[in-house]
Amino acid sequence: MSSLRRSRGEPATDWDVLDLGAGDSTALLRLWRGFMAARCFVAVVLVLLQGVAFAIGQAVQPLPIVLSGGYLVLAWLEMRYAHFEPPIRGFSTLWLLTIGVDLGIFSALQVLQGGSVNYTPLFALPVLMSAVLGTLLVGLGTTATVTLLLLADAGWHWLQQPNDPSARFVQAALTGTGLFVVALLAHELARRLAREEAVAQRSRSHAQMQAQVNDLVIETLTEGVLVIDAEGLVHTANPAADAILGQGLAQLPMPFPLHTQPAWHALAALARQTFARRAPQTEEIPVAQARGAAREVRVRTRLTPTDDRRADSLCVMFLQDLRELEARIRTEKLAAMGRMSAAVAHEIRNPLAAIAQASALLSEDLTDPAHRKLTDMVQHNAQRLARIVDDVLDVSRARQQRVLSLGEQLVLDPAAQILAEEWVRQTQRKGVRVALDAPGSEVRFEAEHLRRLLVNLLDNAARYASQREGAIQVITTLQRAGVQRAALLVWSDGAPLEPAVQRHLFEPFFSSESRSSGLGLFLCRELCRRHGATIGYERRALVPGGPEGNEFFVSFAPSENRLTQ
């Protein structure tokens, strides 16, 4: 019933909280071990008491010695082997082996040696144990049992000496009343302890979950994050900060002083300035790199708020690569302009065709070499503008036609061979190799779209490749991981791309060259999406130990023939 009530959103009672939290309560388990140790200590005292009584010449009966020794053995065995799951519910076997044994032993000793030793104070141990470790019913039941035993002992003495029984009965009643008060208070304290521990465990669980979320958010941020204390020690650094600082930050053990590297002295000074002024700071700082030129970084600092005056604030430092930030802003602006340029391209195309046609007609009637050179320049630039207009229109068409019918298929190897040779003839490029290793593989791709895809990848490779033999390679292969797929690779020996450039490779209007429209790779990605293919980039060597290069790979969707086999 309690779980049903809680599932409906009703508040749980104090006993529900105790019952829920006690099973995992380390505090109650520690109290259990404390009570077990106290029972062993009491047993040792009882044995020593019997020994002292015998040593000073008092008459000692054998039965109390046996009871004390047996109680010591039982207490030690229960401390070692008894299994406790709080709270004690009812008068179970565990209650009988612990609290019941205490009541029996103390009562027997009280009866056997009532004339010489008063064992009444020892009854506080089982009362406290039942009240702290058991339910309210167990605690009150145990206290009532002790009270009845004390009254029975008073009655026994009244039967033995009927002269004045009132003193013993009054003493038993007062002792029982005091034990009831102690049991209630102890049980309330134990219940509060279990409740507070349950609340603390939930708070700790929530704090751990929040810390994990914070760590995940910090690790995935594109901004670099450093957490620095007032002594200049860095306690947290995310991967983006390691990429921006570029001085082996990830290899340093946490925490470490920020001024360990000369390139970070300006950052350490900004952190000290933040603590000194107790206010956020913003500054653009050049940070030297292990390789290459210094990187311009925008640094923003914030102090963590704290309500405890004894606790020091932490300085959270945010790092932004200005080149990447500017590239992102430029991409967003150009993307907005691209939506407009798609409409304008239609209006440009017709006048541009008229200019090219008029220039061609004019060149037929010109004989002066200087005049013919001018018309050639007009035609060349008109063709360049026409290619840019075609790119814009192709992007617009590719984004509007995401789904392609499964009808047209082509054999990859002959198509790649023909298209690569055609590109080489048109560009007069030297050092291009073609390696075909996907015999008979059919791919679901329109022939014209494959031409645009391969031409864009080869144009991109030619911008950065050297002139040596094999500087550009066109490769077809079969990927056999899982479903067999044909793949097309364009590899070049150009310099490695910067991480900031890699992150924006396939974005529209993003280019590292001012003369490029920034639509080639974006168009490749859109065409691949239409045909169910994927395109990607990696830096690798074609053969082990060979030179590394930039590779763009296209993994085609399985063809209809492959799917039906």
Side-chain angles (χ1 to χ4, degrees):
M1 291 298 293
S2 62
S3 61
L4 179 60
R5 180 170 61 251
R6 287 191 295 275
S7 65
R8 291 178 179 176
E10 299 178 9
T13 64
D14 288 343
W15 271 114
D16 292 330
V17 175
L18 177 60
D19 292 347
L20 286 174
D24 298 327
S25 175
T26 57
L28 292 183
L29 291 175
R30 289 194 299 270
L31 288 174
W32 161 265
R33 289 192 289 268
F35 277 116
M36 292 297 102
R39 293 176 73 239
C40 291
F41 177 75
V42 170
V44 171
V45 171
L46 291 176
V47 172
L48 292 177
L49 182 63
Q50 303 300 327
V52 170
F54 178 78
I56 62 177
Q58 291 185 358
V60 179
Q61 301 177 7
L63 188 55
I65 298 177
V66 173
L67 289 175
S68 300
Y71 179 58
L72 176 60
V73 174
L74 285 175
W76 183 82
L77 291 175
E78 289 165 357
M79 182 179 66
R80 290 293 303 272
Y81 302 108
H83 180 65
F84 171 63
E85 292 184 358
I88 299 175
R89 301 178 183 273
F91 300 94
S92 59
T93 303
L94 182 63
W95 184 91
L96 291 174
L97 291 176
T98 55
I99 300 173
V101 168
D102 290 353
L103 295 178
I105 295 294
F106 299 158
S107 299
L109 292 174
Q110 179 70 15
V111 171
L112 292 174
Q113 294 182 321
S116 57
V117 182
N118 184 13
Y119 291 92
T120 302
L122 296 182
F123 285 105
L125 178 61
V127 169
L128 284 174
M129 187 173 176
S130 62
V132 171
L133 302 179
T135 62
L136 182 61
L137 178 62
V138 171
L140 295 179
T142 302
T143 307
T145 301
V146 172
T147 304
L148 292 176
L149 289 175
L150 293 177
L151 292 174
D153 181 67
W156 172 258
H157 283 84
W158 174 65
L159 293 176
Q160 298 295 325
Q161 300 175 359
N163 296 330
D164 187 14
S166 60
R168 284 188 173 273
F169 279 106
V170 171
Q171 184 67 32
L174 289 176
T175 304
T177 302
L179 290 177
F180 271 106
V181 173
V182 170
L184 289 172
L185 291 176
H187 181 74
E188 179 63 26
L189 292 175
R191 183 175 61 180
R192 178 169 295 184
L193 175 64
R195 183 170 59 248
E196 295 296 333
E197 186 179 22
V199 172
Q201 288 178 348
R202 287 195 295 270
S203 300
R204 182 176 61 181
S205 176
H206 293 162
Q208 290 175 346
M209 180 177 64
Q210 187 63 44
Q212 292 173 355
V213 171
N214 292 341
D215 291 341
L216 180 61
V217 170
I218 291 175
E219 286 184 2
T220 55
L221 277 177
T222 57
E223 289 184 326
V225 177
L226 299 177
V227 179
I228 310 166
D229 63 14
E231 302 298 326
L233 298 178
V234 177
H235 293 267
T236 303
N238 67 341
D242 179 44
I244 292 174
L245 296 181
Q247 296 284 344
L249 179 64
Q251 283 72 36
L252 296 176
M254 298 289 177
F256 65 89
L258 186 60
H259 60 270
T260 53
Q261 295 285 345
W264 302 341
H265 286 175
L267 300 177
L270 188 61
R272 290 193 299 268
Q273 184 177 349
T274 303
F275 282 112
R277 297 183 179 181
R278 308 299 297 179
Q281 304 294 318
T282 301
E283 192 172 336
E284 294 182 2
I285 298 174
V287 177
Q289 304 292 302
R291 296 180 180 178
R295 178 175 298 184
E296 289 291 332
V297 179
R298 175 177 294 173
V299 184
R300 295 179 293 114
T301 61
R302 296 291 186 274
L303 288 178
T304 58
T306 177
D307 296 331
D308 189 357
R309 294 184 178 180
R310 294 172 298 177
D312 293 331
S313 297
L314 294 174
C315 174
V316 182
M317 184 174 290
F318 300 93
L319 311 175
Q320 282 183 306
D321 188 349
L322 286 181
R323 287 184 301 177
E324 185 175 352
L325 180 62
E326 291 171 356
R328 190 182 306 121
I329 295 174
R330 177 174 174 268
T331 300
E332 293 173 356
K333 290 181 178 180
L334 290 177
M337 295 175 59
R339 290 190 290 270
M340 179 187 67
S341 63
V344 176
H346 290 281
E347 303 298 328
I348 297 177
R349 196 171 192 179
N350 291 333
L352 194 60
I355 293 173
Q357 185 177 7
S359 176
L361 293 174
L362 182 61
S363 63
E364 294 178 358
D365 298 330
L366 295 177
T367 57
D368 189 348
H371 292 168
R372 295 183 64 87
K373 184 176 181 181
L374 291 175
T375 57
D376 290 342
M377 292 176 59
V378 172
Q379 291 181 8
H380 174 74
N381 285 279
Q383 292 173 358
R384 179 170 174 266
L385 288 174
R387 285 195 297 270
I388 295 176
V389 170
D390 289 339
D391 286 343
V392 174
L393 294 177
D394 285 341
V395 168
S396 178
R397 297 190 194 101
R399 302 200 74 176
Q400 293 173 1
Q401 303 173 3
R402 289 300 180 96
V403 180
L404 179 74
S405 63
L406 300 178
E408 184 173 353
Q409 299 191 41
L410 53 86
V411 182
L412 179 60
D413 281 3
Q417 180 77 37
I418 293 172
L419 294 174
E421 291 176 353
E422 178 184 342
W423 182 83
V424 170
R425 285 195 302 271
Q426 291 180 354
T427 61
Q428 300 297 315
R429 177 77 188 193
K430 304 296 184 180
V432 179
R433 292 179 182 174
V434 179
L436 306 176
D437 192 21
S441 295
E442 293 185 352
V443 295
R444 181 164 55 89
F445 222 92
E446 293 183 5
E448 178 59 23
H449 289 169
L450 183 62
R451 185 187 70 82
R452 295 306 305 270
L453 172 66
L454 185 56
V455 167
N456 281 329
L457 293 179
L458 287 172
D459 287 342
N460 184 73
R463 292 191 188 100
Y464 308 103
S466 65
Q467 298 295 327
R468 68 178 181 84
E469 182 66 24
I472 299 177
Q473 299 191 32
V474 179
I475 303 169
T476 62
T477 185
L478 292 176
Q479 298 175 339
R480 305 183 184 278
V483 179
Q484 181 170 286
R485 291 170 174 258
L488 173 66
L489 289 69
V490 177
W491 183 91
S492 64
D493 63 352
L497 301 180
E498 295 183 0
V501 175
Q502 293 185 33
R503 282 193 286 270
H504 304 286
L505 268 178
F506 299 99
E507 293 182 4
F509 300 99
F510 178 83
S511 176
S512 58
E513 288 192 355
S514 59
R515 294 178 59 84
S516 174
S517 65
L519 292 173
L521 292 178
F522 174 69
L523 177 61
C524 291
R525 188 188 69 177
E526 295 299 316
L527 291 175
C528 288
R529 285 181 175 179
R530 284 188 57 197
H531 296 79
T534 58
I535 186 171
Y537 163 83
E538 65 176 340
R539 177 79 180 175
R540 76 179 187 95
L542 291 178
V543 295
E548 288 189 345
N550 301 316
E551 178 184 278
F552 287 87
F553 57 90
V554 178
S555 179
F556 296 96
S559 66
E560 280 188 314
N561 293 340
R562 296 286 183 190
L563 291 173
T564 57
Q565 290 179 356

